[in-house]
Structure formats: C-alpha cells, structure tokens
Amino acid sequence: TANRIQNFATQTRRPPGSAIKPLSVYAPALEEGRITWSSVFDDVPLNFGADGATPWPKNATGFYRGLTDISYAVAHSTNTVRVLEEVGLRNSFRWAQERFHLESLIDRPGGSDCDVAALGLGQLHYGVTLRELTAAYTVFADGGIYHAPRSYYRVLDADGNVLLSRPDSGERVISGSNAAVMTKLTTSGSTISIKPILTRSFPPRSAEVFSLFLHFLQVFRHDDPLIHGIVDVVDLLIVL
C-alpha cells in the first residue's frame, strides 16, 4: 500500500471504444423491442462530410458490408449508428448513465457525451472507469440484474464483530431473456476461453462476469487500441 497512488481500476477514466456498444446501443434496442437477434441493418455511410467525399462513420476494416445482421455487427464491431438512431441519442445516454450506471459520462455546457461519437463509437470526452464498465457487464452475466461494485463485503474486528458491512443489492435493468441474448451476442465472436483461469482466482459469479467482459474486449482488440490498456488492467487484477 502507499499514499496518493493512482488506482487504475477505480480512478482512471478512458474512452471504452466498442465496449460501450452493448450498453448504449444493443441492450437498449433489444429491451425496447427495436431489434431482435436476427434484425438486419444496412452497413453503409450515413453521410459524406462537409466536402461531400468523405464517408462517415468508417468501419475499422475500411469497407462497408451492406446488409448485416446484429450478430455479425457485434462480433465484428461494425458501426452501430443506424441502430443508435433507432434508440435515440437522449434515450441511449439515459440507458448508459442511469440504467447501466456509467456515471462518468458527462452532459453539460461545453461538453457532452450525448452524441454519436460517444454512444455509437465509444469516444467519450473523459471516459469511464474499469470499475464502472465491468459492473455494467454484470447485467448480462446475471440475468439482467445490475450489481453495484463493492470493494469489501464485511470488515470484522478481532472478536468477530462487524465494523463495516456492504450488503449486495440487485437492480433489474433488462429481462432475463434479453440478458441471455446479449451474453450470446457478446461471446459469439471470440474463441478464446479464459474462464478456467478466472475460476481459480475468483468466486464463480465473478469469474463469469470477467469472462464475459474479456470475451467481448478480445474481439475488438484489433480495432480499438485503447481497449489494449483496459485488457491489461483487467489481466493485472486477475493476477493479483
């Protein structure tokens, strides 16, 4: 331990990149009945910029696929702007900040994350903490229930008396069936299983949450460089 150290899991805020898409776009759209597992959207540019020649938004691959189903879009991180349009910017922001508790998102004069770049592509003004992001992903792993992150459960004195207690509390965010669909969507693109490693280090539920979260991050490591840092921090937490 030390004084005045930076806790990269709870204090450092980074733009989450594509890791925000299931929270700000896909889960809200699914829960509100705007999409299903098999919904199809046209992956094409929405506009061509002020010069009329620059397509936007751009996929990491550099090309557009045309008609694309939701499963493929999540697995390959194609842009989600068309689905975001269905959800609506203000509604998407509310889902991310209030329902999934990404409370580091900002919406104030001079800067707001209530825009396409932030909610559809994950490029926030300041970002979110790893603690916020992993807590949000517990919704998918635990049947649609959000669990607030806890640094401790109980603190006892030498005689076994409880000095501090932080009981768990669950909040329904999406239905159990939609949580199952989201779990399938966010794990179908990865073939790397780290759950056996996690199971040795964490209780079963924690292992499932981290496994789900890292499955999704591993899918997008190739096109979101900032995610490399998030994965490295989580890897460190696993080792510790």
Short mmCIF file of all heavy atoms in Angstrom, two decimals, residues 33-63:
data_model
loop_
_atom_site.label_atom_id
_atom_site.label_comp_id
_atom_site.label_asym_id
_atom_site.label_seq_id
_atom_site.Cartn_x
_atom_site.Cartn_y
_atom_site.Cartn_z
N GLY A 33 -37.51 -3.56 -27.85
CA GLY A 33 -38.15 -4.21 -28.99
C GLY A 33 -37.82 -3.60 -30.33
O GLY A 33 -38.53 -3.83 -31.31
N ARG A 34 -36.74 -2.83 -30.40
CA ARG A 34 -36.36 -2.19 -31.66
C ARG A 34 -35.56 -3.12 -32.56
O ARG A 34 -35.49 -2.91 -33.77
CB ARG A 34 -35.57 -0.91 -31.37
CG ARG A 34 -36.35 0.09 -30.53
CD ARG A 34 -35.51 1.32 -30.19
NE ARG A 34 -36.17 2.18 -29.23
CZ ARG A 34 -37.10 3.09 -29.53
NH1 ARG A 34 -37.45 3.26 -30.80
NH2 ARG A 34 -37.66 3.82 -28.59
N ILE A 35 -34.91 -4.12 -31.97
CA ILE A 35 -34.16 -5.12 -32.73
C ILE A 35 -34.41 -6.49 -32.13
O ILE A 35 -34.89 -6.62 -30.99
CB ILE A 35 -32.63 -4.85 -32.73
CG1 ILE A 35 -32.07 -4.95 -31.31
CG2 ILE A 35 -32.31 -3.52 -33.37
CD1 ILE A 35 -30.55 -4.92 -31.24
N THR A 36 -34.07 -7.52 -32.89
CA THR A 36 -34.03 -8.88 -32.39
C THR A 36 -32.67 -9.45 -32.77
O THR A 36 -31.86 -8.79 -33.42
CB THR A 36 -35.14 -9.76 -33.02
OG1 THR A 36 -34.86 -9.91 -34.44
CG2 THR A 36 -36.50 -9.13 -32.84
N TRP A 37 -32.43 -10.68 -32.37
CA TRP A 37 -31.17 -11.35 -32.73
C TRP A 37 -30.94 -11.33 -34.24
O TRP A 37 -29.82 -11.18 -34.71
CB TRP A 37 -31.21 -12.78 -32.21
CG TRP A 37 -30.07 -13.64 -32.68
CD1 TRP A 37 -29.97 -14.32 -33.87
CD2 TRP A 37 -28.86 -13.91 -31.98
NE1 TRP A 37 -28.79 -15.00 -33.94
CE2 TRP A 37 -28.08 -14.77 -32.79
CE3 TRP A 37 -28.35 -13.53 -30.73
CZ2 TRP A 37 -26.82 -15.24 -32.41
CZ3 TRP A 37 -27.12 -14.00 -30.35
CH2 TRP A 37 -26.37 -14.83 -31.18
N SER A 38 -32.01 -11.46 -35.00
CA SER A 38 -31.88 -11.61 -36.45
C SER A 38 -32.15 -10.33 -37.23
O SER A 38 -32.26 -10.37 -38.46
CB SER A 38 -32.83 -12.71 -36.95
OG SER A 38 -34.17 -12.42 -36.58
N SER A 39 -32.28 -9.20 -36.56
CA SER A 39 -32.52 -7.95 -37.27
C SER A 39 -31.38 -7.65 -38.24
O SER A 39 -30.22 -7.97 -37.98
CB SER A 39 -32.66 -6.79 -36.28
OG SER A 39 -33.82 -6.93 -35.50
N VAL A 40 -31.72 -7.01 -39.35
CA VAL A 40 -30.73 -6.68 -40.38
C VAL A 40 -30.72 -5.18 -40.61
O VAL A 40 -31.78 -4.55 -40.73
CB VAL A 40 -31.05 -7.42 -41.70
CG1 VAL A 40 -30.10 -6.96 -42.80
CG2 VAL A 40 -30.97 -8.92 -41.51
N PHE A 41 -29.51 -4.61 -40.65
CA PHE A 41 -29.34 -3.20 -40.94
C PHE A 41 -28.36 -3.04 -42.09
O PHE A 41 -27.49 -3.89 -42.30
CB PHE A 41 -28.81 -2.44 -39.71
CG PHE A 41 -29.86 -2.21 -38.66
CD1 PHE A 41 -30.17 -3.20 -37.75
CD2 PHE A 41 -30.53 -1.01 -38.58
CE1 PHE A 41 -31.14 -3.01 -36.77
CE2 PHE A 41 -31.51 -0.79 -37.62
CZ PHE A 41 -31.81 -1.79 -36.71
N ASP A 42 -28.50 -1.95 -42.83
CA ASP A 42 -27.64 -1.70 -43.97
C ASP A 42 -26.37 -0.99 -43.52
O ASP A 42 -26.41 0.16 -43.06
CB ASP A 42 -28.37 -0.85 -45.01
CG ASP A 42 -27.83 -1.05 -46.42
OD1 ASP A 42 -26.88 -1.84 -46.56
OD2 ASP A 42 -28.36 -0.44 -47.35
N ASP A 43 -25.24 -1.67 -43.60
CA ASP A 43 -23.96 -1.10 -43.21
C ASP A 43 -23.41 -0.27 -44.36
O ASP A 43 -22.67 -0.75 -45.22
CB ASP A 43 -22.99 -2.22 -42.82
CG ASP A 43 -21.61 -1.69 -42.44
OD1 ASP A 43 -21.54 -0.52 -42.01
OD2 ASP A 43 -20.62 -2.43 -42.58
N VAL A 44 -23.80 1.01 -44.39
CA VAL A 44 -23.36 1.95 -45.42
C VAL A 44 -23.08 3.28 -44.74
O VAL A 44 -23.53 3.53 -43.62
CB VAL A 44 -24.43 2.14 -46.52
CG1 VAL A 44 -24.66 0.84 -47.28
CG2 VAL A 44 -25.74 2.64 -45.90
N PRO A 45 -22.32 4.18 -45.39
CA PRO A 45 -22.09 5.50 -44.80
C PRO A 45 -23.39 6.27 -44.61
O PRO A 45 -24.31 6.17 -45.43
CB PRO A 45 -21.19 6.20 -45.82
CG PRO A 45 -20.59 5.10 -46.64
CD PRO A 45 -21.61 4.01 -46.67
N LEU A 46 -23.47 7.02 -43.52
CA LEU A 46 -24.65 7.84 -43.28
C LEU A 46 -24.54 9.19 -43.97
O LEU A 46 -25.53 9.79 -44.32
CB LEU A 46 -24.84 8.05 -41.78
CG LEU A 46 -25.18 6.80 -40.96
CD1 LEU A 46 -25.46 7.18 -39.52
CD2 LEU A 46 -26.38 6.08 -41.54
N ASN A 47 -23.32 9.66 -44.13
CA ASN A 47 -23.12 10.90 -44.86
C ASN A 47 -21.69 10.94 -45.40
O ASN A 47 -20.89 10.05 -45.11
CB ASN A 47 -23.42 12.14 -43.99
CG ASN A 47 -22.49 12.24 -42.80
OD1 ASN A 47 -21.28 12.39 -42.95
ND2 ASN A 47 -23.06 12.16 -41.60
N PHE A 48 -21.38 11.95 -46.16
CA PHE A 48 -20.06 12.06 -46.78
C PHE A 48 -19.35 13.36 -46.39
O PHE A 48 -18.54 13.88 -47.14
CB PHE A 48 -20.19 11.94 -48.30
CG PHE A 48 -20.57 10.56 -48.74
CD1 PHE A 48 -21.90 10.19 -48.84
CD2 PHE A 48 -19.59 9.61 -49.01
CE1 PHE A 48 -22.26 8.90 -49.23
CE2 PHE A 48 -19.94 8.32 -49.39
CZ PHE A 48 -21.27 7.97 -49.50
N GLY A 49 -19.65 13.86 -45.20
CA GLY A 49 -18.94 15.01 -44.67
C GLY A 49 -19.23 16.30 -45.40
O GLY A 49 -19.99 16.35 -46.37
N ALA A 50 -18.59 17.36 -44.92
CA ALA A 50 -18.81 18.69 -45.50
C ALA A 50 -18.31 18.78 -46.94
O ALA A 50 -18.86 19.54 -47.74
CB ALA A 50 -18.12 19.75 -44.65
N ASP A 51 -17.29 17.98 -47.25
CA ASP A 51 -16.75 18.03 -48.61
C ASP A 51 -17.50 17.15 -49.59
O ASP A 51 -17.24 17.15 -50.79
CB ASP A 51 -15.26 17.65 -48.61
CG ASP A 51 -15.02 16.23 -48.09
OD1 ASP A 51 -16.02 15.52 -47.78
OD2 ASP A 51 -13.85 15.84 -47.98
N GLY A 52 -18.45 16.37 -49.06
CA GLY A 52 -19.25 15.50 -49.92
C GLY A 52 -18.50 14.30 -50.45
O GLY A 52 -19.01 13.58 -51.31
N ALA A 53 -17.30 14.06 -49.93
CA ALA A 53 -16.49 12.96 -50.46
C ALA A 53 -15.88 12.06 -49.38
O ALA A 53 -15.22 11.09 -49.70
CB ALA A 53 -15.36 13.52 -51.32
N THR A 54 -16.12 12.39 -48.11
CA THR A 54 -15.54 11.61 -47.02
C THR A 54 -16.63 10.82 -46.31
O THR A 54 -17.45 11.40 -45.58
CB THR A 54 -14.84 12.53 -46.00
OG1 THR A 54 -13.86 13.34 -46.67
CG2 THR A 54 -14.15 11.71 -44.92
N PRO A 55 -16.69 9.50 -46.53
CA PRO A 55 -17.75 8.70 -45.91
C PRO A 55 -17.60 8.65 -44.39
O PRO A 55 -16.50 8.57 -43.86
CB PRO A 55 -17.56 7.32 -46.53
CG PRO A 55 -16.13 7.28 -46.94
CD PRO A 55 -15.77 8.68 -47.33
N TRP A 56 -18.73 8.70 -43.70
CA TRP A 56 -18.74 8.62 -42.24
C TRP A 56 -19.99 7.90 -41.79
O TRP A 56 -21.06 8.09 -42.37
CB TRP A 56 -18.72 10.02 -41.63
CG TRP A 56 -18.59 9.98 -40.13
CD1 TRP A 56 -17.46 10.02 -39.38
CD2 TRP A 56 -19.67 9.87 -39.19
NE1 TRP A 56 -17.75 9.93 -38.05
CE2 TRP A 56 -19.10 9.84 -37.90
CE3 TRP A 56 -21.06 9.76 -39.30
CZ2 TRP A 56 -19.87 9.72 -36.74
CZ3 TRP A 56 -21.83 9.64 -38.15
CH2 TRP A 56 -21.22 9.63 -36.89
N PRO A 57 -19.93 7.09 -40.73
CA PRO A 57 -18.71 6.70 -40.00
C PRO A 57 -17.94 5.63 -40.76
O PRO A 57 -18.49 4.97 -41.64
CB PRO A 57 -19.24 6.15 -38.68
CG PRO A 57 -20.59 5.60 -39.03
CD PRO A 57 -21.14 6.51 -40.09
N LYS A 58 -16.67 5.45 -40.41
CA LYS A 58 -15.85 4.45 -41.07
C LYS A 58 -15.71 3.21 -40.21
O LYS A 58 -15.53 3.31 -39.00
CB LYS A 58 -14.45 5.02 -41.36
CG LYS A 58 -14.42 6.12 -42.40
CD LYS A 58 -12.99 6.57 -42.67
CE LYS A 58 -12.94 7.64 -43.75
NZ LYS A 58 -11.55 8.08 -44.02
N ASN A 59 -15.79 2.05 -40.83
CA ASN A 59 -15.51 0.81 -40.13
C ASN A 59 -14.00 0.61 -40.05
O ASN A 59 -13.24 1.11 -40.89
CB ASN A 59 -16.15 -0.38 -40.84
CG ASN A 59 -17.66 -0.36 -40.72
OD1 ASN A 59 -18.21 0.04 -39.71
ND2 ASN A 59 -18.34 -0.79 -41.77
N ALA A 60 -13.57 -0.14 -39.05
CA ALA A 60 -12.13 -0.39 -38.87
C ALA A 60 -11.53 -1.12 -40.08
O ALA A 60 -10.36 -0.95 -40.40
CB ALA A 60 -11.89 -1.21 -37.61
N THR A 61 -12.36 -1.90 -40.76
CA THR A 61 -11.87 -2.66 -41.92
C THR A 61 -11.66 -1.80 -43.14
O THR A 61 -10.98 -2.20 -44.08
CB THR A 61 -12.87 -3.77 -42.27
OG1 THR A 61 -14.16 -3.18 -42.51
CG2 THR A 61 -12.99 -4.79 -41.13
N GLY A 62 -12.27 -0.61 -43.14
CA GLY A 62 -12.11 0.28 -44.28
C GLY A 62 -13.13 0.08 -45.37
O GLY A 62 -13.09 0.77 -46.40
N PHE A 63 -14.04 -0.86 -45.21
CA PHE A 63 -15.07 -1.04 -46.22
C PHE A 63 -16.41 -1.30 -45.54
O PHE A 63 -16.49 -1.55 -44.33
CB PHE A 63 -14.72 -2.19 -47.17
CG PHE A 63 -14.65 -3.54 -46.52
CD1 PHE A 63 -15.78 -4.35 -46.39
CD2 PHE A 63 -13.44 -4.04 -46.03
CE1 PHE A 63 -15.72 -5.58 -45.80
CE2 PHE A 63 -13.37 -5.28 -45.43
CZ PHE A 63 -14.51 -6.06 -45.31
#
